[in-house]
């Protein structure tokens, strides 16, 4: 509920075009749908190419089914993240338009076409990080971004990174996905002049402590153009990258 | 053993109505029953509508069965928390009055009717937190509290919360259940004038570290009417809420 | 801004008694005062005996002076917590009604009389915890609560606690202040039937890790009537205790 | 050294316009100046309105003086962050164009005029967080961004935030500065559609563990448009915000 | 190899009763048996009633079998700790004298009779801690200690503890086993004048962090007669208790 | 209050030798003295050679003076631990019998002669650990134990330890004081057959994290005769060692 | 790409023997092979006896198969670390030259003979650490090092270590593998004059926190010739040991 | 005491050239000097160019003076690490040959000339890390190593590193000193074929947690030739580097 909309609504009430009760109800009841176990937040679903997003982990298959059904009924695009194979199998039956990316543990449902704009690069340190890369790439696609994926260019063999630096430098935003020490974010941060969004992954040996080593490394990056999201959170990195990239692309496109 | 009871007992001894040995035995042996593997604490079970509570995790099915039998034999109301599906199936056979809430991993046994008083609200940030909501709601019910459940009103879409604020404000105590950053406790704390009991949950991505992020968030709440219980501990939140709510309701009722 | 007030305001607009712009301004601008570096939240200051509260740490003496002056100008009661001796000396010059409790690092200013109700007990494990006890006791007093202080009854000599249990049992709420292992909260939790609010303190040797040992101990209390606030946070414990105690006392008093 | 420049240089060598030795020296020696104790990275200093940045903490006054002198000699704009009062006093003598912001512990030196573009909002939860706000605001200014500062709108009195939401929504990027539980980042993340860069601060009581509570809270934000920088790192937040804002403003301006 | 034995050996060499080479071999090769994958440390196995001890976790069933066989061949008493049901089934076939305590995950083999002396008490807070109690009790028995087990006397119902205090006070050493906040160690520490060895257990909810809460609680005990062993380490507690108890009993017996 | 004393008191009441009220008062008021800010626990002070102990840190000089005066008035022996030089200077004026050990930050006051028995060894890894050694040694002395101090025998030069092993092996209990990795406890644990009480110290570089490295090392000792006290807690180690040593010596002496 | 090679390439361009484009392509594209999901880093595979290494964990069996095939096609020696039994079974089918070491969870493929030089010792504290010993030993072998394995010589029975010290002292580098408190690294560090590479293992009880206790212990070693690798990382220890040993052996051999 | 020496000594005893008592005394008393508060370990001081080392922190000036005097009396070379300016001033008076490096907080005393061999590179990420660089460089020098220092080549401007890679590649061992995310160790590890010893520093902002971020980053390095020492421990890195470098140089020199 923006201030502009509130003011407009008050205007209508003042001009007798709306009753106070109705205004109250609108203010209170607008932008979500209560399906008992969840409040579907349609506020976040913008007009074009924006999906509804469900966080799949910790929800029962019954809850997931009820939520997904309510969204599919509206024919909105749909992302279900962190969804394991067993649950995915059940959910895929809800619609033929749903597709499961097993490596990224994500279900994608495109019910209306997505127009892509701009360019985001997703760069990963190792093959083991691919589950996060897939989550990010699927999210970027359905949110309407062109996306380059550059994998396995970790700093232990930095020449591999330099060979791909052309592709990376074309992007408006770079997402860096890395586990272990997470050094790739700092190195790329120093090589590009655009924002870098770093995703620490839980990949690694003993003292990585479930991704803590990469997380702390990225937070302490000496490259000041690096910001960080939660461990393994390819979705949030892609979401933030998308709003930056599309905004730049949009203003650029208007020329 | 209150000081009053000690004094009374000493009086009886002084007046020859009780031998010292008997007094000693009473002092020593009152208020629990030793069943070998456990000491059932009937001290905590007050006259009306108070259940006996068993913490189910880390106990073997054999231990649980022996403890539950001893309680059922007394026809006291009963709660068994943290009880998985497999163990629940065995325990349910002990009495037809036992009911299993699978989402809340809790067994409820009502052997004598419960009178409800006052009003407690249980508010949760997301659908994924429902296992804790269920544990709290079942506990509140058997302890004799009216209870409103408001789910999926996390701060990322704060308008959803505002739409439900009426229901929440009617409560004598509000239990807030949230994982991830646990911000909901602070926001609600600022919107109500009653005590808020916050339950951090272990729901979330990587750096939530099993609920630590929500726990620290709630402990550091800038709303001074927020107190906190252990991660996922819906039972304790409900227990504390109940003693506050029923005390307020009771004094109110006496008018 | 409660729903009731929103509805009322909309009514006025509908009946032409208020312009939409004015309604918008009210909704937007009510309940705080912007003094440039801070927004004084008068929303929290209720009619009787409620003080304004300033968190003193991390604020410069210049900022504190400006904020305190704005509050004193309104003749509201005032608490400034976490205020060291040097800053206190400067602030005390603002009004003769300000008093500094050095042990509790708290400034109290009573500008209108406080009516006390009910009863809260503050119990501490050791003399070293007294700084938190003082903060809690001063807060309880100015918030309008009768308060008993019982100090140095730690569990290593549990008979000292039992000697005072009478006083403690009279309270509507018990605040337990303890460092080291924080066991006192669990023990008292098992001895009383009212809510216990536990304040871990940073008092102790090496592996107390600045209060972490007591904090974890209290969060994991086996007594379900214990809730916890942040380390050393006597203020928040007192604030929550006050709203519980005064609510019980108020409903009781109305009889 | 971009691929384009490498290719161009190789062309010159091929056409005899450059000797291999000279090419090697260029590749090796370009973009920094070695002053013995430090390598000044002029690579990062772009043509317009970009300052050189020195991290002041852990450097001796002698090292700081030598580095600052080398930069001032080039008449580049200059930022020295994390600089305490004592060191600042010495450094200010190097040039009359240097100015010290004591609250933000930052020295600013504007040697060539800065053109501002776009709009970034810096929002903080409490007055105590102002040291980070100042660091961010000074950095934004010298990097060429218009900047709105909105302070003391923490979630415990959320109406204060709503009163300022207009100003916040005008920004291309929002920086949220908050200590304690850091909930403000999630709440603002849910209210705006632009990127939010969250800066946890070390402000708070006991279990904030030097900013860890706010850091974890922000990393676990349920608002997916939130990315995070290091604790108290107002500089990095401003730096990232600037490259996003100026890019959007630049593409917009070209229309 | 004590200094006395070294001196004696050197004497023999000096008197020509031993060759230098033989002396060297003795010094080097005495007190263990190398079976390839392990060096069995017979040094620790004293004459009477001392078992050999194998730590079962992280060893393969093949390794366990080879080690157990070598020990059984010597007819020494035997303890295998941390041994799950599957491995236990295989090992029990090695000798009919082996017995498996499933709750304590421990195999006991008595090949020569054990004489018991003195008295150790094992006290636990809850039924859930019984797996550690069993490990400690089995170890105490085979090491030759009389042992009283007192279970489920946690501090939330402290009267249960007082009812058993007679039995506890008879012991030369008290082992306290507790999870959650571990407060029982401090309380008992204050009630007895003998050494208390505290065993934190991993039993509990969320923020017990695998036993860390009880561990820190016990380390920070305000009772100075409490020392601590590792989480869940009933074996080490029993081992230390045994050497204290048997030494006291032995000196007492000689009277 | 032991059961024996309770029974005796009840007998007196039964035989009319004590009124119930008097019995109640005795039960409640015995064994401590309330001096307002503290409850002096004379229960712990046994007849011979046992001192009263005050934990000095976190107490103000005013509080310390009041407590110390009350104890000195009774001519009991006295220990004040963790007392810095400034406070010590003030307290020493209370009696000429007080002596300050600056390295151990401990004040000792011997008002009645102490008889020593048995033998405890205090072994430390490095000279830097001496502050803990001094605290332990002073405590052992006033508690009535003969004590050998062996310093600077850390495992990096293990031959230094072997040269002193004779002295160490004569003790009934060995206290091992070590920082850094704390390995000395395990090594000594393997070389002696008596109980080892390990004191981790906060001595060391970076990742010792204030003594955590030594603490974890000692808790995870592979020598099962090692128990652990809190970081830098020489007092508690000495206290536990004393009750073990004196019990063994006492039973031995009675022969 | 070394500076020497860059200079040589530039020379060729200068002398017309290479076009700039070709030079650019070489600089960019040399030393790895892109197989889509991974960039195989042949840069690290030196001429003789060096294997390619794949980190098996977190990779799918499909990814592993594709990577392994590409390497086997080149007939390079091959190591696949952290590979469980199920995946190993599939991979072994790729070539008869592949061998699986189940205890070390490692696949070895020797396609060209390895010449061994020098001598490395691998010493472990307990039989439970053998999985890391096996990983290290297999790595050392295929990297061309002679290797002695000395197991089960933990510090609790230090005489076992002394009996083997001869073998250990012959090595150019000693790898020490230990869990629990990790004290073995410090002890051996003090007994040898060569570099010690310490590998903490995750073996142990409760507060070893997945190897943290051994890790911190080794990092804080008082023996200055100890350096540390990640928890359970036998591979990295062996890799570093190999480059040290072979360099010493090589220079020694040239005499 | 090596086995060879033990055997030789036994031979002498056997041949009557030494009495058993004398042999025992030699075995026991050799290689250190007991000066009361410390055992000076001359065992570690080899013939040529090896200094005695004193860890200065946590020792009193009195203790330091006594230890330093004992060493100077022997005219051995001397290092005192972690020594602040105040203590240094006192110690420098002991001999004119002592020199204080204030930035590295280290005292160096060269009493007999040092012959240098081989080559070690010390590379640091930033100027702020210089205190560790100085400690390492001074240690390398007195231990007899040629040393190149390359500072301020952090990964945020990786071209600065490449410009110096020639110098770095000439070394037999590379010490990498870095704070914040510590990424430099991994990058250099991938660029050189010699051992890299990484020293995390405590330099950085908030979530570096006193060097933990760099420590974890380095331990989790994806470059397998990286081993790690404790935070800020330039001395240990230099010590290990020296024994590797001098061994390689020595075997090389013998050709």
């Amino acid at each position: 509920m923006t201030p502009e909309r509130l003011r407009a609504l008050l205007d209508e009430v003042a001009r007798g075009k709306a009753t106070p009760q109705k205004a109250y109800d609108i203010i209170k009841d607008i932008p979500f749908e209560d399906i008992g176990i969840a409040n579907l937040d349609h506020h976040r679903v913008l007009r074009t190419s924006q999906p509804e997003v469900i966080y799949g982990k910790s929800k029962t298959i019954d809850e997931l089914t009820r939520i997904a059904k309510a969204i599919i009924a509206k024919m909105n695009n749909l992302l279900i993240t962190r969804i394991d194979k067993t649950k995915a199998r059940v959910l895929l039956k809800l619609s033929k338009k749903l597709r499961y990316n097993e490596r990224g543990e994500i279900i994608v449902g495109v019910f209306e076409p997505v127009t892509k704009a701009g360019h985001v690069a997703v760069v990963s340190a190792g093959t083991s990080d691919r589950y996060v890369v897939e989550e990010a790439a699927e999210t970027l696609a359905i949110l309407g971004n062109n996306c380059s994926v550059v994998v396995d260019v970790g700093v232990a063999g930095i020449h591999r990174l330099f060979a791909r630096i052309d592709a990376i430098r074309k992007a408006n935003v770079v997402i860096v996905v890395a586990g272990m020490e997470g050094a790739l974010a700092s190195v790329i941060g120093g090589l590009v002049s655009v924002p870098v969004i770093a995703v620490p992954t839980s990949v690694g040996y003993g003292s990585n402590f479930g991704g803590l080593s990469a997380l702390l490394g990225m937070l302490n990056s000496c490259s000041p153009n690096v910001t960080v999201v939660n461990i393994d959170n390819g979705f949030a990195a892609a979401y933030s990258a998308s709003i930056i990239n599309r905004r730049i692309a949009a203003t650029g496109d208007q020329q």
Side-chain angles (χ1 to χ4, degrees), chain A:
Chain A
M1 174 60 68
T2 63
E4 290 72 23
R5 289 173 68 185
L6 173 57
R7 230 175 322 201
L9 189 59
L10 292 170
D11 265 332
E12 287 180 44
V13 176
R15 280 177 287 119
K17 301 212 167 172
T19 63
Q21 182 58 43
K22 189 191 146 199
Y24 176 72
D25 290 348
I26 288 170
I27 289 165
K28 235 186 50 184
D29 290 339
I30 286 182
F32 63 91
E33 179 190 6
D34 182 350
I35 63 163
I37 55 162
N39 293 315
L40 303 182
D41 186 357
H42 305 317
H43 184 69
R44 254 207 221 124
V45 182
L46 303 183
R47 215 112 309 129
T48 325
S49 71
Q50 278 277 38
E52 303 238 21
V53 183
I54 308 169
Y55 173 59
K57 214 175 125 190
S58 320
K59 293 203 179 72
T60 63
I61 185 61
D62 175 62
E63 289 164 353
L64 286 166
T65 303
R66 286 161 68 186
I67 297 172
K69 270 186 182 166
I71 293 171
I72 292 170
K74 303 218 165 185
M75 300 298 286
N76 281 332
N77 288 340
L78 172 67
L79 270 189
I80 313 179
T81 64
R82 303 290 157 120
I83 198 82
D84 65 38
K85 217 174 172 171
T86 313
K87 288 179 181 171
R89 233 175 258 142
V90 180
L91 292 172
L92 286 182
K93 293 176 189 160
L94 294 179
S95 160
K96 291 199 171 164
K97 297 213 162 174
L98 298 181
R99 175 175 54 80
Y100 183 52
N101 180 325
E102 187 181 339
R103 194 66 166 102
E105 297 210 317
I106 193 166
I107 287 178
V108 183
V110 180
F111 293 88
E112 47 178 321
V114 177
T115 315
K116 294 191 177 172
H119 180 197
V120 176
V122 181
V123 187
S124 84
T127 303
S128 301
D129 301 313
R130 227 186 84 197
Y131 64 104
V132 177
V133 169
E134 296 289 330
E135 187 183 82
E138 295 281 10
T139 303
L140 284 168
I142 204 169
L143 285 167
N145 302 273
N146 298 305
C147 167
S148 316
V149 172
V150 178
V151 297
D152 202 17
V153 293
V155 298
I158 208 164
H159 55 290
R160 298 178 300 184
L161 171 62
F162 291 165
R164 301 294 171 85
I165 202 68
D166 286 0
I168 296 169
R169 279 193 165 137
K170 280 177 198 148
N172 287 324
V173 186
V174 180
I175 293 173
V176 177
V177 178
M180 297 178 174
E181 83 278 58
L184 189 60
S186 291
V187 171
I188 291 184
L191 292 172
V192 303
S193 56
V194 299
V196 171
I197 299 176
V199 192
T201 72
S202 53
V203 168
Y205 276 82
S207 73
N208 82 327
F209 294 121
L212 183 63
S213 57
L215 174 65
L216 291 185
M218 288 163 166
L219 283 168
N220 287 281
S221 176
C222 46
S223 299
N225 54 339
V226 174
T227 61
V228 185
V229 297
N230 200 352
I231 297 165
D232 289 339
N233 198 342
F235 166 70
Y239 190 97
S240 277
S242 175
I243 54 179
I244 298 172
N245 172 55
R246 289 183 59 88
R247 189 80 185 277
I248 291 170
T251 50
D253 289 354
Q254 292 163 11
Q255 294 158 44

